[in-house]
Amino acid sequence: PGKERFHKSQHFDISNGVPMLAGSEKPGIGGEPLVGQKNKPKYSVYPKGEGSGQPSWVALDKQVLCFDAYFGETVPAAQNETYRIRKCKIYFYLEDDTIQVEELKCKNSGIPQRLIHRQRIPLPPPKDDEFYNIFHFNINQEIVFYSRTFTVTNCDFFTTNFLTKLGVCLNDPVAVPDDPYSKLREQSMKPLRPYERRDTMRRFLDNDGKILRFYCFWDDTNSTFGDPREFALHYYLADDTIEIFERIPPNSGRDSVPKFLRRSKLPKQPGEITERTMLNVLDSKSLGNRFMLDNLRTGASSEEFYKDSDLLVGGELNVWGRRMIITDCDEFTKLYYHTTYGIEDFTPVQYKDPPPPMQPKLVPPYNGFGSEEDSLSSCQGLVLKPPQKDFHKFMEKDSNVLNFRAKMLTNDPVDRERVFIISFYLSDDSMSVFEQPQKNSVLGGKFLKRCRVKKPGQELFKSKSSEYFTSQDLYVGATVCVSGINLQLLDADEYTLNYMEQHAEEFPKANTGNILSKLQSIPEDKQSEIRKFLSLSDPTNTGFIPYESLALLMDLDCDLTEHEVLVLARSCVKPKKPEQDVGLILAMAQDLLKKKHFQDYPSLARVFLGRLPTKEMRTICRAFKLPLPENLREDLLNFADEAETVDYHAFLAGINWTEHPAPPIMPADILR
């Protein structure tokens, strides 16, 4: 009663046609052990910890016990040894009771390092039906793995804590016996002569690519056909090597060579250098001389090479018998010596006279043939070249033209009525003059073709270049002399005035800051006179005066030109917004919406809630793809805009052509 399992384990099987007992260790009915049968645990039994019960492969994942061990190995065929002691590590994986044995790596030993791969290892006979678990391990005891005896000597800190918590009493660690082969190997690896270790790799990694550059001078005037020679010395910090290049001046007659000194270490005392020394052991007139190599290096002398501390500005350098003087160095070299050795004085050595001053080239006067630029280019070389133009100025200001309206300054009443248009091209500072035709008076036409205009009062045949009119010389009220005729500039178009005001740094007459500073520099009595005049021009105190009254400032000796007064008035004028025909805008919008068959007004009414900002209204119109041009849509929003919000009732009522149709528009209205 109370049992739920009544199955019977299979104890017999047929193998190769022979019936045999296959499950002698299997339990009886219901999984209960038979009489005299004991259940052998499959894995180690560990005390349950606090928390939820997890499987061992989860709770003990990546937890490994590590033991230090060794085993002895006989060497029967060797002459100098009879056994070897091989050190190893034993790893016990707690998640599945697997064991792995690895030998400590020994350089150039030729012995495989992994002895036993990770697996469950059975106990030695007669218990070979069971496997090693955690309770079979302890310090200072022998363990047999596959007929090989290992002696456990120690374990790590994690293993000590884990076994102690399980209640295992660990023995004291033991020492590993000496290995005769390892001692013999250490003795054989020692060099016969001690040597000093030089860590050149670290120095190479720290200083690779860092080169000190010096400038040297060698006075070779004492030799035949000798002359002073200049060199550039490179010192490599990675390996203390030096290479020297000769700096051959042009037209010196010397052949250019790749290097004066190849990259190598430079000795301080150059001479015959050999690695081995010859000793004269017998000096006899009858028997002659007998020599032998100095194997003990009794006569070897230490050779010194140049270091970075020996190279200083103003110092001397012995380059295989040539006395060179270090005259200067580059900025990186100065920074290196300042940070490394604290040197701050890097005054160059003057080893040659300064070059004589260049004599100015005398230019012959203009001969009258061609332009002055062509005549000057013929004096600059044997091969004639056309004069070069300012290409960057041409690309930046190719389409910028300043237009002024002018009249002729003359006593002739007929010529005083003639009107001229002066065009100044900023790309090449050229000028053209066109006369406007007048009905029944002047035919008009081209007065001056496009060219550069010289300023009056200059000598024709001279060495210096002539002065031409520039863009700064043209402003309203200025006088320009063109072919001996004086033209006064009366006015300029809107583009010219805007361009000059936008580029006020190029045009002083259009710079508002210069105009205001000029007014502030006027004496106090003159300023009071100007204030009185301006107050009389505004009797009602509106804050505005007409331009005619402001133009009268030029008569008060304020040192202001007509163009400056015009710029001052333009900067203070209050712009007026053009009045828009609201009815025409709504009619035009409805006409376009009707042609596009737009009738989605209910959806727009659901989206529009109350008064919306202009930005959100613009976004909603774009989302519904309202088929209106952008400028017309902006006019509609400006019409309904009040305090940066739009009344959607007025906006929808104005564009709804189905409920509030507007009167038809005429072609003239569409054009307007």
Side-chain angles (χ1 to χ4, degrees):
K3 287 187 178 182
E4 296 180 357
R5 301 174 60 190
F6 298 97
H7 68 276
K8 182 180 181 299
S9 302
Q10 182 179 355
H11 294 268
F12 297 93
D13 196 2
I14 297 176
S15 177
N16 297 329
V18 179
M20 56 185 302
L21 181 63
S24 60
E25 298 180 359
K26 292 185 178 181
I29 298 175
E32 295 182 357
L34 300 176
V35 179
Q37 188 179 18
K38 295 181 180 180
N39 288 333
K40 298 179 180 179
K42 188 176 181 180
Y43 298 104
S44 299
V45 180
Y46 306 111
K48 293 184 178 180
E50 297 180 358
S52 60
Q54 295 180 344
S56 61
W57 56 271
V58 175
L60 302 175
D61 183 30
K62 297 182 180 179
Q63 296 188 15
V64 185
L65 304 184
C66 180
F67 299 92
D68 296 334
Y70 73 91
F71 67 94
E73 183 181 27
T74 60
V75 185
Q79 182 179 2
N80 300 327
E81 56 179 344
T82 58
Y83 67 94
R84 290 185 183 178
I85 300 298
R86 298 173 64 175
K87 302 176 183 179
C88 56
K89 291 276 188 181
I90 300 177
Y91 299 99
F92 185 88
Y93 295 85
L94 297 174
E95 55 181 318
D96 54 359
D97 289 357
T98 54
I99 300 174
Q100 179 180 340
V101 182
E102 289 188 0
E103 186 177 3
L104 297 181
K105 293 183 179 181
C106 183
K107 188 176 181 180
N108 299 328
S109 64
I111 301 176
Q113 308 301 327
R114 181 167 295 179
L115 300 177
I116 301 176
H117 292 269
R118 180 178 175 180
Q119 56 184 296
R120 296 184 66 198
I121 301 177
L123 294 172
K127 297 182 180 181
D128 52 353
D129 55 343
E130 300 179 9
F131 296 92
Y132 277 100
N133 56 37
I134 191 173
F135 298 104
H136 293 102
F137 289 87
N138 203 333
I139 300 176
N140 195 10
Q141 75 173 14
E142 295 183 352
I143 299 178
V144 180
F145 294 155
Y146 298 117
S147 302
R148 179 175 287 177
T149 304
F150 294 85
T151 303
V152 181
T153 60
N154 203 350
C155 62
D156 58 0
F157 183 74
F158 172 76
T159 305
T160 303
N161 291 342
F162 193 86
L163 293 177
T164 304
K165 291 179 181 179
L166 290 180
V168 179
C169 184
L170 294 177
N171 302 328
D172 296 333
V174 295
V176 181
D178 296 335
D179 183 18
Y181 174 74
S182 300
K183 290 185 176 182
L184 180 62
R185 184 178 177 84
E186 291 178 0
Q187 294 178 359
S188 62
M189 292 297 293
K190 292 182 179 180
L192 298 178
R193 296 189 303 272
Y195 61 93
E196 295 180 0
R197 178 177 177 82
R198 296 181 180 178
D199 189 7
T200 58
M201 179 57 69
R202 171 55 56 187
R203 182 176 183 181
F204 172 78
L205 295 176
D206 293 342
N207 299 318
D208 183 31
K210 297 181 180 179
I211 304 173
L212 305 181
R213 184 182 181 90
F214 298 91
Y215 302 100
C216 305
F217 168 73
W218 174 33
D219 189 4
D220 192 27
T221 55
N222 295 329
S223 61
T224 306
F225 306 110
D227 54 354
R229 302 170 69 173
E230 300 177 359
F231 299 90
L233 185 145
H234 294 172
Y235 183 88
Y236 294 84
L237 295 174
D239 53 359
D240 295 334
T241 54
I242 295 175
E243 65 178 359
I244 300 177
F245 299 88
E246 185 173 3
R247 303 169 62 188
I248 301 177
N251 301 326
S252 62
R254 291 187 175 275
D255 296 334
S256 178
V257 294
K259 292 181 182 180
F260 184 80
L261 177 67
R262 66 177 180 85
R263 180 178 175 180
S264 60
K265 288 190 175 183
L266 184 61
K268 294 184 178 180
Q269 298 293 334
E272 185 177 357
I273 303 174
T274 58
E275 296 182 356
R276 307 295 293 273
T277 307
M278 302 294 296
L279 299 178
N280 186 5
V281 297
L282 181 61
D283 187 7
S284 175
K285 296 182 179 179
S286 60
L287 299 178
N289 299 331
R290 295 293 184 269
F291 300 94
M292 65 177 296
L293 292 175
D294 184 11
N295 294 327
L296 300 179
R297 300 181 180 272
T298 58
S301 59
S302 60
E303 187 177 8
E304 295 183 1
F305 298 94
Y306 279 103
K307 304 292 183 181
D308 55 349
S309 58
D310 302 325
L311 305 179
L312 299 174
V313 176
E316 295 184 1
L317 196 68
N318 188 356
V319 182
W320 299 101
R322 299 168 180 83
R323 179 176 171 271
M324 292 187 179
I325 301 175
I326 301 177
T327 59
D328 200 0
C329 58
D330 59 358
E331 295 298 329
F332 172 77
T333 307
K334 295 178 182 178
L335 179 62
Y336 173 79
Y337 277 92
H338 177 70
T339 55
T340 306
Y341 299 102
I343 301 176
E344 298 181 356
D345 186 13
F346 299 98
T347 305
V349 177
Q350 298 295 335
Y351 60 93
K352 59 181 179 181
D353 298 334
M358 296 291 296
Q359 296 294 333
K361 296 183 179 180
L362 300 178
V363 180
Y366 176 57
N367 53 14
F369 293 96
S371 63
E372 294 184 0
E373 291 78 5
D374 293 334
S375 178
L376 181 61
S377 62
S378 64
C379 303
Q380 294 177 350
L382 298 177
V383 180
L384 299 181
K385 296 181 180 180
Q388 297 292 331
K389 296 182 179 180
D390 192 348
F391 181 75
H392 296 283
K393 184 178 180 180
F394 173 78
M395 294 299 296
E396 292 177 1
K397 301 182 179 181
D398 183 24
S399 59
N400 302 124
V401 183
L402 306 182
N403 296 315
F404 298 89
R405 187 170 62 88
K407 70 175 182 179
M408 187 180 298
L409 295 179
T410 179
N411 297 326
D412 191 350
V414 178
D415 291 339
R416 281 185 295 182
E417 299 297 330
R418 299 168 67 179
V419 180
F420 300 88
I421 300 298
I422 299 178
S423 300
F424 190 87
Y425 301 87
L426 297 178
S427 59
D428 55 356
D429 294 342
S430 59
M431 185 189 306
S432 65
V433 181
F434 181 82
E435 184 176 3
Q436 288 186 348
Q438 298 182 14
K439 189 176 182 180
N440 299 328
S441 177
V442 181
L443 295 178
K446 185 185 294 185
F447 184 80
L448 176 68
K449 69 176 183 178
R450 180 177 176 180
C451 63
R452 298 175 65 189
V453 180
K454 295 182 180 180
K455 292 183 179 181
Q458 300 185 65
E459 185 181 354
L460 179 60
F461 303 102
K462 60 183 182 300
S463 300
K464 295 183 179 180
S465 300
S466 300
E467 296 183 4
Y468 295 87
F469 280 104
T470 61
S471 58
Q472 288 77 16
D473 299 327
L474 302 182
Y475 53 89
V476 178
T479 302
V480 180
C481 183
V482 179
S483 301
I485 300 176
N486 294 326
L487 299 177
Q488 184 180 8
L489 305 184
L490 303 178
D491 196 3
D493 58 0
E494 187 67 20
Y495 171 79
T496 302
L497 296 176
N498 289 335
Y499 184 87
M500 296 177 70
E501 293 171 2
Q502 292 173 3
H503 301 79
E505 67 279 357
E506 299 180 14
F507 302 94
K509 299 296 182 180
N511 195 331
T512 309
N514 294 345
I515 299 173
L516 296 178
S517 61
K518 185 182 294 186
L519 290 175
Q520 292 175 358
S521 61
I522 297 177
E524 186 64 28
D525 55 347
K526 183 66 68 176
Q527 290 185 9
S528 60
E529 183 180 354
I530 294 174
R531 293 192 191 97
K532 183 178 180 181
F533 172 75
L534 294 178
S535 61
L536 293 176
S537 301
D538 185 18
T540 58
N541 293 327
T542 59
F544 296 92
I545 61 174
Y547 174 72
E548 291 77 9
S549 300
L550 186 64
L552 294 177
L553 289 176
M554 294 184 297
D555 300 336
L556 299 178
D557 298 333
C558 298
D559 196 18
L560 293 178
T561 61
E562 186 177 353
H563 191 99
E564 292 175 338
V565 175
L566 180 61
V567 171
L568 187 61
R570 286 170 57 86
S571 62
C572 300
V573 71
K574 183 178 180 181
K576 296 182 179 180
K577 295 184 178 179
E579 298 182 357
Q580 297 180 348
D581 191 350
V582 179
L584 179 61
I585 293 176
L586 293 177
M588 190 70 186
Q590 290 189 10
D591 184 66
L592 291 176
L593 294 175
K594 186 175 182 181
K595 290 180 180 179
K596 298 293 183 178
H597 303 286
F598 183 82
Q599 299 180 2
D600 198 7
Y601 297 106
S603 300
L604 278 174
R606 287 193 299 269
V607 174
F608 293 153
L609 299 176
R611 303 188 64 86
L612 299 177
T614 308
K615 184 177 181 181
E616 294 187 7
M617 288 287 295
R618 189 180 293 108
T619 304
I620 293 173
C621 293
R622 291 176 180 174
F624 276 85
K625 298 182 179 179
L626 201 65
L628 292 177
E630 184 177 358
N631 55 351
L632 186 58
R633 186 174 66 246
E634 293 296 328
D635 290 340
L636 288 173
L637 294 177
N638 295 333
F639 160 66
D641 188 7
E642 294 180 3
E644 298 183 355
T645 59
V646 178
D647 187 0
Y648 74 97
H649 292 290
F651 182 77
L652 287 179
I655 65 175
N656 194 343
W657 59 272
T658 58
E659 298 181 0
H660 307 281
I665 57 177
M666 305 303 294
D669 296 334
I670 297 176
L671 182 62
R672 184 160 60 93

